[in-house]
Amino acid sequence: MSEDTVSASIPTDQLISLLLSLPDEAKKIINESDAPYDELKTIILGKESEFTKLSQSMRFVPKEDKQQVGIVLNQVKKSIETLLSEKAKTAHTSNEEWIDVTAPGVRPPVGHIHIVTQAINEITEIFNKLGFTRVRHPEVDWDYYAFEALNMPKNHPARDEWETFFIEYPGKPNPKEEKYQKLVLTPHTSNGQIHEMEKGILPIRTINIAKCYRRQIDVSHTPMFHQFEGMYIDKHVSIGHLKGVLDYFAKAFFGKDRITRIRPFHFQFTEPSFEVDITCGVCNGTGIVKNKEKCRLCKDGWLELGGAGMIHPNVLKASNIDTTMYNGFAFGFGIERSYMMKSGTQLDDIRLIYSNDIRFLKQF
Ligand code: DAH
């Protein structure tokens, strides 16, 4: 109905028939609309409603018809209110909470442990099977444990390879106590070797997993990363034992087709020392991919995993281990690096792991 009809006088008959059509119209609105109860009420009986507009034209109704129109108006209002109150029994109001128990549930977002923690758990489990116990050692440690006891005396050039963060010691180091002079954020997990040996319990078969810190950042380095360091000290330990452990780990962690090789290298704390490589997962150790192209991920089929060796007698002696009876091996690898080399993982930038981007982390 237009504004004109409201303001102008309407013949009584027409007004009555318009009023009588309102309950049907209201029924239609109620049935077809999704609006909550109180919104429906405003649409049907509110200030702007057809009902209100028609009832305002009451003042133009001739005196003699007023009673009749009044009765109709009341009846119409009553029947609309009945319709609305029926709706109210089943409907909800906009400011009232309601639950549609039949609606499909909304799944809350479920997180998962970070990929580095996943790798740590997996690595721990693999070494547990070989009898290696997971141990923890300080991640802020004395220079003595990070370097000196590992056969790297003060000012030794080999120290340069570990881009170390030195940190302020809050108290005064005791000048007489040689071990406790300078503090470092551990640049590798090899400090754990010394702490473990100092316990004085032999044999030792441990896996130390910890955070490491170095002043480096690029596609293959982050200033904070993780290493896992295996150590085995017993009577008659051989390079063969080391190789066996490395191969077991490579197959369990990277996949059963992968093998390792050891190459001569130099570390101050092992003699002999090796660098450990693993066959590349992309070209299967051949260095060649489809179409006879060179594999872009590796060098001739091999990827570098980390360092290893037979523990240097000087390191054992520094921790009072009788080198005439005991010897051992150790190895240290990066967790993030190893994870990136795992079969099927095509990560080409280590920094992504710590970018805190949920879209990246969700994939794993
Ligand atoms: N600590 C060495 C590094 O961070 C890795 C390493 C090499 C650990 C040889 C060892 C080892 O236990 O025997 O580069």
Side-chain angles (χ1 to χ4, degrees):
M1 170 159 288
S2 71
E3 286 288 310
D4 299 335
T5 4
V6 176
S7 49
S9 71
I10 316 172
T12 304
D13 284 350
Q14 205 184 323
L15 180 60
I16 288 176
S17 78
L18 280 171
L19 279 168
L20 288 174
S21 71
L22 288 183
D24 277 347
E25 256 179 67
K27 207 181 232 171
K28 214 169 149 207
I29 295 172
I30 290 170
N31 287 341
E32 286 173 11
S33 165
D34 277 333
Y37 166 75
D38 45 359
E39 229 175 276
L40 280 176
K41 193 172 174 184
T42 315
I43 295 169
I44 298 168
L45 290 178
K47 266 194 216 150
E48 304 293 323
S49 68
E50 205 73 326
F51 175 80
T52 305
K53 285 175 191 167
L54 286 177
S55 48
Q56 276 164 2
S57 57
M58 183 70 171
R59 56 198 147 118
F60 304 111
V61 173
K63 242 191 191 158
E64 63 276 18
D65 294 337
K66 268 204 183 348
Q67 195 187 8
Q68 193 196 358
V69 176
I71 291 168
V72 173
L73 199 69
N74 277 340
Q75 273 176 356
V76 165
K77 193 175 181 195
K78 253 194 196 150
S79 45
I80 291 177
E81 278 173 340
T82 312
L83 287 171
L84 278 168
S85 68
E86 262 161 32
K87 171 76 178 177
K89 282 183 205 150
T90 53
H92 56 92
T93 57
S94 56
N95 52 9
E96 180 191 310
E97 281 240 352
W98 70 287
I99 297 169
D100 178 357
V101 291
T102 63
V106 179
R107 281 187 189 278
V110 180
H112 63 71
I113 53 172
H114 191 272
I115 48 180
V116 169
T117 315
Q118 286 179 32
I120 289 175
N121 292 346
E122 206 178 315
I123 290 165
T124 308
E125 214 171 284
I126 293 169
F127 283 103
N128 275 348
K129 283 190 188 147
L130 288 176
F132 286 74
T133 308
R134 164 110 194 249
V135 289
R136 286 157 202 267
H137 294 292
E139 291 170 356
V140 179
D141 207 357
W142 298 103
D143 174 285
Y144 172 82
Y145 290 94
F147 292 115
E148 222 164 310
L150 287 166
N151 202 26
M152 282 185 273
K154 286 188 190 74
N155 303 321
H156 194 283
R159 287 174 171 232
D160 293 350
E161 287 161 34
W162 287 267
E163 305 260 340
T164 313
F165 288 106
F166 285 88
I167 62 167
E168 296 265 326
Y169 177 62
K172 259 198 185 147
N174 182 348
K176 282 190 207 134
E177 186 55 90
E178 282 222 5
K179 275 189 195 176
Y180 311 128
Q181 294 298 316
K182 272 183 179 169
L183 270 184
V184 298
L185 296 183
T186 49
H188 55 175
T189 40
S190 302
N191 65 320
Q193 291 189 21
I194 310 302
H195 286 288
E196 209 53 52
M197 291 181 210
E198 278 188 350
K199 289 181 186 166
I201 305 163
L202 291 169
I204 297 171
R205 215 177 330 175
T206 53
I207 186 90
N208 170 28
I209 307 183
K211 291 189 189 74
C212 303
Y213 304 86
R214 291 188 202 176
R215 294 173 26 178
Q216 279 177 318
I217 184 154
D218 55 46
V219 285
S220 48
H221 298 93
T222 46
M224 187 284 297
F225 60 103
H226 295 75
Q227 281 190 347
F228 59 109
E229 177 115 3
M231 178 167 69
Y232 178 38
I233 301 178
D234 206 339
K235 291 171 184 159
H236 316 297
V237 178
S238 75
I239 296 172
H241 294 132
L242 169 64
K243 184 70 168 62
V245 167
L246 295 175
D247 276 336
Y248 179 87
F249 169 71
K251 286 185 198 315
F253 188 71
F254 294 102
K256 54 180 181 339
D257 302 331
R258 315 287 285 272
I259 55 162
T260 63
R261 76 172 178 191
I262 50 177
R263 274 184 291 119
F265 200 71
H266 172 260
F267 292 105
Q268 278 293 113
F269 34 94
T270 41
E271 181 58 37
S273 303
F274 310 106
E275 213 142 54
V276 182
D277 297 334
I278 176 172
T279 43
C280 172
V282 170
C283 65
N284 253 331
T286 60
I288 309 275
V289 285
K290 275 182 233 148
N291 311 329
K292 302 208 165 128
E293 270 176 42
K294 262 192 148 227
C295 178
R296 290 199 302 166
L297 188 70
C298 65
K299 286 183 204 141
D300 304 324
W302 296 95
L303 294 166
E304 204 182 296
L305 200 58
M310 302 306 288
I311 300 170
H312 198 292
N314 287 355
V315 175
L316 296 168
K317 278 181 207 153
S319 301
N320 297 323
I321 290 178
D322 180 355
T323 52
T324 60
M325 282 176 72
Y326 287 95
N327 71 338
F329 67 69
F331 57 87
F333 306 148
I335 299 252
E336 291 82 352
R337 229 186 115 66
S338 303
Y339 186 82
M340 285 163 72
M341 284 155 55
K342 204 168 154 74
S343 314
T345 318
Q346 306 250 323
L347 276 181
D348 58 3
D349 187 341
I350 193 172
R351 292 169 297 191
L352 279 169
I353 296 179
Y354 295 112
S355 63
N356 251 354
D357 187 335
I358 202 92
R359 291 167 304 175
F360 167 76
L361 293 169
K362 259 185 180 169
Q363 304 173 81
F364 304 97

